[in-house]
Amino acid sequence: MDKFSTLFPMTTAKKALKWQFISLIVFVISWIFPIYAQDNSTVKAAKPTLIFGVVPQQPAIQLAKLWPPILAALSENANYQLQFATAPDIPTFEQRLKDGQYDIAYMNPYHYVVFHDHPGYQALAREKDKKLKGLLVVRRDSPIKSLAQLEGQTLAFPAPAAFAASVLPRAHLQQDNINVKVKYVGSHDSVYLAVIQGLVEAGGGVQRTFNNLSEAQKQQLTVLWQTPTYTPHAIATHPRVSTAQRQMLLERLMALSTTAQGKALLESVDFSAFTAAEDQDWDDVRSLKLGSLTKPLGKK
């Protein structure tokens, strides 16, 4: 018995309270990460577990509520078991992609171009009939009504290589000789919050994450400018994922939009449907000839 237990012996009531607390923690964990709450029969089946990484455009706790139900549906009666994973911020996610830590990953277009070359992620699926565009947002009551008025102002962006939310708007500002101060805040949601709170004058995001804001938050923001459109995010697999696993996952991704339950899951993350993808789908991004991952614009 340790010193603390000797000085403060646990009563029966305290023991009961302790176990109630432990039970509550177990319940919360199983609710946030339902994919881990497996029964013994699932474990005994010993299906290979594939780590599915999701780019942290939103806080990890939010992604952990939205994505595991989708992965559970994609894993049902499959030849694999998908396990949700993300990262605390986009640069950490990029490092994990570089290290090949994810078997499958939902990544932005620029990430795909970079990490297709090494460690060799292969395109599997992308959103159907969808193009990606970035946004610059300001507070609804902001006096800024044009890009030119951003001269000398501080802007928030998720990370240097956040393609539509950072790379594209920064490139356009640089092209128009509009000089701004840049602050990287880790996620799209953090950008919107910084603008709402008046910590910066404007910030970069994308339509999907903007749509996922609460109505109260959206009412405080307005879109100042939108980028041209590009091929959207990729779902791509590491070379170690088998052809049979890729084929089954692709079929299940495309089938989500054919059932009411699947549509509801897609709508929860503001998706409509998936289609098969090929590597050349991202040649539009390659044509931009971006710089290094940490400094994609070279000059800044």
Side-chain angles (χ1 to χ4, degrees), residues 132-164:
L132 179 66
K133 60 183 176 182
L135 312 171
L136 281 176
V137 301
V138 296
R139 279 181 58 96
R140 190 170 293 275
D141 58 4
S142 172
I144 294 174
K145 305 300 179 185
S146 69
L147 290 182
Q149 290 177 286
L150 294 175
E151 175 70 33
Q153 302 295 337
T154 301
L155 275 64
F157 297 100
F163 177 67

Side-chain angles (χ1 to χ4, degrees), residues 227-263:
T227 74
T229 60
Y230 291 87
T231 303
H233 287 49
I235 291 181
T237 62
H238 192 275
R240 62 177 167 264
V241 177
S242 73
T243 300
Q245 290 168 336
R246 276 175 53 89
Q247 184 60 34
M248 180 165 284
L249 178 56
L250 176 59
E251 291 172 358
R252 286 164 178 262
L253 282 165
M254 293 192 296
L256 282 175
S257 59
T258 65
T259 67
Q261 180 184 7
K263 287 179 181 178

Side-chain angles (χ1 to χ4, degrees), residues 40-284:
N40 290 333
S41 62
T42 305
V43 174
K44 289 177 181 178
K47 292 192 296 185
T49 296
L50 301 179
I51 306 300
F52 193 113
V54 178
V55 60
Q57 295 174 314
Q58 299 167 274
I61 191 66
Q62 179 73 4
L63 296 176
K65 293 177 183 177
L66 297 173
W67 278 86
I70 298 172
L71 302 187
L74 295 171
S75 299
E76 189 173 356
N77 298 320
N79 57 5
Y80 53 74
Q81 181 72 32
L82 299 180
Q83 180 175 306
F84 168 80
T86 187
D89 50 54
I90 293 174
T92 303
F93 178 77
E94 292 165 354
Q95 184 61 50
R96 292 174 182 177
L97 283 173
K98 181 180 179 180
D99 295 341
Q101 291 187 26
Y102 305 123
D103 299 299
I104 307 159
Y106 173 70
M107 62 185 79
N108 80 36
Y110 184 38
H111 288 157
Y112 175 71
V113 169
V114 171
F115 298 114
H116 168 71
D117 291 341
H118 179 79
Y121 281 94
Q122 295 292 326
L124 180 69
R126 57 178 172 80
E127 284 187 80
K128 186 178 181 180
D129 301 324
K130 174 84 174 188
K131 287 290 188 177
L132 179 66
K133 60 183 176 182
L135 312 171
L136 281 176
V137 301
V138 296
R139 279 181 58 96
R140 190 170 293 275
D141 58 4
S142 172
I144 294 174
K145 305 300 179 185
S146 69
L147 290 182
Q149 290 177 286
L150 294 175
E151 175 70 33
Q153 302 295 337
T154 301
L155 275 64
F157 297 100
F163 177 67
S166 178
V167 176
L168 292 180
R170 286 185 57 217
H172 188 86
L173 291 168
Q174 185 171 291
Q175 192 175 44
D176 285 1
N177 294 314
I178 299 172
N179 299 302
V180 299
K181 301 169 187 174
V182 173
K183 181 174 291 188
Y184 295 114
V185 295
S187 73
H188 291 220
D189 281 12
S190 295
V191 169
Y192 302 134
L193 187 61
V195 176
I196 289 171
Q197 293 180 342
L199 302 177
V200 295
E201 293 301 319
V206 299
Q207 193 66 55
R208 187 180 67 80
T209 56
F210 183 81
N211 290 344
N212 284 338
L213 292 173
S214 70
E215 285 303 317
Q217 290 174 318
K218 281 189 279 190
Q219 288 302 314
Q220 297 180 72
L221 298 170
T222 189
V223 175
L224 177 69
W225 177 80
Q226 300 182 39
T227 74
T229 60
Y230 291 87
T231 303
H233 287 49
I235 291 181
T237 62
H238 192 275
R240 62 177 167 264
V241 177
S242 73
T243 300
Q245 290 168 336
R246 276 175 53 89
Q247 184 60 34
M248 180 165 284
L249 178 56
L250 176 59
E251 291 172 358
R252 286 164 178 262
L253 282 165
M254 293 192 296
L256 282 175
S257 59
T258 65
T259 67
Q261 180 184 7
K263 287 179 181 178
L265 289 171
L266 290 173
E267 287 173 3
S268 72
V269 286
D270 199 31
F271 293 158
S272 56
F274 284 107
T275 189
E278 298 181 357
D279 177 64
Q280 57 263 34
D281 292 343
W282 284 271
D283 283 349
D284 58 344

